[in-house]
Amino acid sequence: MLKKRYLLIACFFWMLFSCENDVLITFSETNITSENNRIVDVNIPLASQNTSAAKSINSAIEGYVIKTLQIREPNVANLESVKGSIDSFNNEYTDFIAQFPESAHSWEAQIDGEVIFKTPDIICVSLTSYTNTGGAHGVLNISFLNFEAATGKLIDTPKLFIDIEGFKAIAKKHFEASVKDKDLLFSSDNFQLPKNIGYSDDGIILLYNTYEIAPHSAGIIEFSIPFEDAKSYLVFNSF
């Protein structure tokens, strides 16, 4: 009888754990600011569930925002929270104006995000940041964060592929077709995959940020590879 009771308890916890992992994570757009904020606008998707997977995803997204707003060395700025980093960015601007009151440059930071792909296996979040701290022009950056849907674990780009060299060969053909009229910092013979690769409704999206492979005038270079062409190289292909 006692053994049967332990078996029932074990089954209950197994079912509870399984149900938690089977819940498809939902997101809500969240605006984050602080009381004294004047120059930072943050609008990011955060997972709504109170599960370990959702918390892991939110931690990675918030970490991106915190890093983007980093001006000084990591041991100086507030890296505890997004609100703390917003305050630090504002304080840095206040200090700048105090030192250079004649400066006509104003600072700003805009960070936006959206979920661009979601299945029971993988979730891809796109985060776009624009920061200007008084230079000739601001810095625009787009990053893709890929997550295991069941665990919320961030997936390193190489782990998206079964055969990354095979995918690279396919990607090179699509890359060459997309940059025919652009000036590059390297020959297509030395083709390298970008830092940012993600999933989208159009297929696997590859994105080179400004200066990554081309002059500033070329801007961001982005192209997609249809799932039909890429699926044999992908770890996650339930689309």
Side-chain angles (χ1 to χ4, degrees):
M1 184 69 180
L2 188 61
K3 182 177 180 181
K4 185 176 181 180
R5 183 181 299 173
Y6 282 132
L7 182 60
L8 288 173
I9 293 172
C11 288
F12 170 77
F13 281 107
W14 178 83
M15 291 175 64
L16 186 65
F17 179 76
S18 296
C19 288
E20 178 178 311
N21 283 344
D22 287 342
V23 173
L24 189 61
I25 293 175
T26 58
F27 291 82
S28 59
E29 183 174 323
T30 306
N31 174 264
I32 304 177
T33 187
S34 67
E35 184 177 352
N36 299 315
N37 176 41
R38 293 176 295 157
I39 55 177
V40 179
D41 190 18
V42 176
N43 299 282
I44 53 176
L46 292 177
S48 304
Q49 283 77 11
N50 186 29
T51 63
S52 58
K55 291 176 183 177
S56 179
I57 290 171
N58 289 345
S59 178
I61 293 173
E62 290 171 349
Y64 171 89
V65 176
I66 291 169
K67 183 178 180 181
T68 299
L69 296 177
Q70 179 70 41
I71 302 298
R72 293 183 182 270
E73 294 298 319
N75 62 334
V76 176
N78 186 342
L79 300 181
E80 296 294 324
S81 67
V82 172
K83 287 186 178 181
S85 293
I86 291 173
D87 283 336
S88 290
F89 192 90
N90 277 268
N91 291 338
E92 290 293 337
Y93 175 64
T94 300
D95 291 345
F96 172 79
I97 292 300
Q99 294 180 48
F100 306 99
E102 73 285 355
S103 175
H105 294 290
S106 60
W107 288 19
E108 64 175 311
Q110 173 80 37
I111 303 173
D112 297 296
E114 63 175 324
V115 179
I116 61 174
F117 193 80
K118 184 174 70 171
T119 71
D121 294 324
I122 187 170
I123 296 169
C124 183
V125 175
S126 174
L127 293 165
T128 302
S129 66
Y130 174 81
T131 56
N132 191 328
T133 55
H137 49 74
V139 177
L140 176 66
N141 183 275
I142 299 176
S143 294
F144 299 138
L145 303 183
N146 297 290
F147 301 95
E148 291 181 0
T151 65
K153 181 180 179 181
L154 194 62
I155 306 168
D156 292 334
T157 297
K159 293 184 179 179
L160 293 172
F161 304 102
I162 298 169
D163 176 7
I164 193 169
E165 289 302 319
F167 177 80
K168 184 178 176 180
I170 295 293
K172 183 174 183 291
K173 296 178 182 179
H174 287 268
F175 170 80
E176 290 173 342
S178 67
V179 297
K180 286 181 178 179
D181 301 322
K182 295 185 181 294
D183 295 325
L184 302 179
L185 299 178
F186 66 83
S187 166
S188 62
D189 293 338
N190 299 318
F191 172 75
Q192 297 293 324
L193 292 172
K195 295 177 182 178
N196 286 291
I197 300 177
Y199 278 62
S200 74
D201 291 337
D202 295 326
I204 302 301
I205 184 169
L206 294 86
L207 184 145
Y208 298 88
N209 277 296
T210 306
Y211 290 125
E212 190 172 343
I213 62 167
H216 181 269
S217 57
I220 290 171
I221 295 175
E222 176 183 341
F223 63 96
S224 296
I225 301 175
F227 286 127
E228 190 63 30
D229 294 344
K231 64 181 181 181
S232 61
Y233 306 102
L234 303 177
V235 172
F236 302 91
N237 55 18
S238 59
F239 33 78

